């Protein structure tokens, strides 16, 4: 295991890491374009201001990592855990995510408009004032998520799991929902459905 290594401002484009472990490492400002990780573990690492554009991540864990102001454009994440990580002011355009867990992550004020993020786990994540308008969020799990001021206008929420607080806190005008969510929305707003 690598502990608290300093990779600040490192230039490592096109590097491949397999089954490596990193703990408390500082990758801030690093050039990690086209980085490939497979089965790696990153615990409490700082990627602030790093460039992870066009990177590919498979079955890797990024637990309690900081991705604030990080370039993640055109990156790919498959079967990853990003539990408790922070993505404030990150460039997420073109980011592709499949079968990944963002529980307890911080997306406050992040722009995810028109993004395709179906089937992801966002349990207890922070989406305060996030922009999710017209996003594809089908079958995603938002239970316990903080959605105060989150803009979900026109988002596709069919099959998504949202609790009553989320249904009251988020802006849902024009969102597409299934019958179960529509009934839960009505109940959360004090309507009695017979």
């Amino acid at each position: 295991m690598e502990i608290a290594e300093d990779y600040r401002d490192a230039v490592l484009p096109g590097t491949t890491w397999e089954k490596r472990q990193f703990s408390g490492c500082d990758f801030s400002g690093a050039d990690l374009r086209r980085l490939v990780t497979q089965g790696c573990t990153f615990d409490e690492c700082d990627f602030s201001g790093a460039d992870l554009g066009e990177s590919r991540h498979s079955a890797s864990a990024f637990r309690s990592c900081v991705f604030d102001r990080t370039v993640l454009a055109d990156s790919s994440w498959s079967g990853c855990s990003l539990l408790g990580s922070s993505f404030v002011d990150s460039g997420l355009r073109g980011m592709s995510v499949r079968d990944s867990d963002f529980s307890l992550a911080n997306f406050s004020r992040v722009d995810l408009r028109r993004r395709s993020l179906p089937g992801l786990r966002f349990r207890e994540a922070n989406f305060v004032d996030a922009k999710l308008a017209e996003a594809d969020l089908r079958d995603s799990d938002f239970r316990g998520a903080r959605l105060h001021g989150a803009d979900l206008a026109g988002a596709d929420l069919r099959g998504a799991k949202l609790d009553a607080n989320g249904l009251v806190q988020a802006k849902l005008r024009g969102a597409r929902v299934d019958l179960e969510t529509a009934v839960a929305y009505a109940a959360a707003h004090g309507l009695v459905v017979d």
Side-chain angles (χ1 to χ4, degrees), residues 13 29 42 49-50 58 78 84 88 114-115 125 134 141 143 155 165:
F42 298 83
S58 175
S78 177
V88 177
R114 296 180 201 85
R115 300 301 318 284
E134 299 178 28
D141 187 351
R143 287 178 288 189
N165 282 337

Side-chain angles (χ1 to χ4, degrees), residues 8-86:
R8 272 182 299 182
D9 300 316
V11 179
L12 301 167
T15 302
T16 298
W17 289 330
E18 293 183 30
K19 298 181 181 175
R20 290 186 61 181
Q21 296 180 331
F22 301 86
S23 181
C25 296
D26 187 351
F27 294 94
S28 60
D31 180 353
L32 301 170
R33 288 172 292 146
R34 299 180 312 282
L35 171 69
V36 175
T37 68
Q38 297 173 339
C40 292
T41 302
F42 298 83
D43 289 311
E44 298 180 356
C45 294
D46 187 355
F47 292 90
S48 295
D51 188 346
L52 284 161
E54 300 177 48
S55 60
R56 303 287 176 255
H57 310 279
S58 175
S60 291
F62 295 82
R63 295 182 292 239
S64 298
C65 291
V66 177
F67 293 93
D68 296 352
R69 299 173 317 284
T70 303
V71 175
L72 298 166
D74 300 317
S75 62
S76 173
W77 307 75
S78 177
C80 293
S81 171
L82 293 108
L83 182 74
S85 292
S86 175

